[in-house]
């Protein structure tokens, strides 16, 4: 879901990068894009069910606004991890971090 969102909101010629880091304590998955970006005030709300930054009937991107909510629930409730988004100078970074079992 994180990759498909990044691709959906990045214009042709833009950049999408995925990184995976495994440390002693956690697995960290990051998706960074050079897309349209998310306003600071919307960063937490994008994980709310049915929330869409552009909810107008003329928006170009499809979807009903469940993907990030479901993803965050899987990471946090299902695995005890954390998921968040950060606004970049150009684009967005979404991070999913899951603790490794002892």
């Amino acid at each position: 879901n994180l990759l498909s969102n990044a691709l959906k909101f990045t214009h042709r010629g833009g950049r999408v990068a995925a990184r995976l880091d495994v440390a002693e304590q956690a697995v960290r998955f990051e998706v960074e894009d050079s897309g349209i970006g998310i306003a600071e005030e919307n960063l937490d709300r994008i994980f709310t069910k049915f929330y869409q930054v552009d909810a107008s009937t003329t928006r170009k991107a499809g979807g009903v606004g469940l993907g990030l909510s479901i993803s965050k629930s899987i990471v946090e409730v299902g695995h005890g991890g954390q998921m968040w988004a950060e606004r970049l100078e150009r684009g967005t970074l979404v991070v999913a971090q899951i603790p490794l079992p002892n």
Side-chain angles (χ1 to χ4, degrees), residues 50-59:
F50 304 110
Y51 181 78
Q52 297 172 347
V53 174
D54 178 4
S56 70
T57 56
T58 59
R59 68 189 181 93

Side-chain angles (χ1 to χ4, degrees), residues 6-45:
L7 291 168
K8 187 185 328 183
F9 294 105
T10 299
H11 302 298
R12 175 174 242 129
R15 187 177 138 280
V16 173
R19 291 181 290 277
L20 179 68
D21 182 41
V22 181
E24 289 182 30
Q25 303 294 322
V27 173
R28 181 179 172 114
F29 179 64
E30 299 180 347
V31 176
E32 179 180 333
D33 66 60
S34 63
I36 61 173
I38 300 168
E40 199 73 36
E41 64 269 13
N42 292 326
L43 287 174
D44 286 334
R45 296 194 300 187

Side-chain angles (χ1 to χ4, degrees), residues 1-3 5 47 66-79 82-83 94 96 98:
N1 181 263
L2 303 183
L3 283 170
N5 277 356
F47 297 105
L66 286 173
L68 288 176
S69 174
I70 292 169
S71 297
K72 185 171 179 144
S73 181
I74 290 169
V75 168
E76 294 186 353
V77 177
H79 297 289
Q82 296 176 300
M83 182 179 277
V94 180
I98 299 172

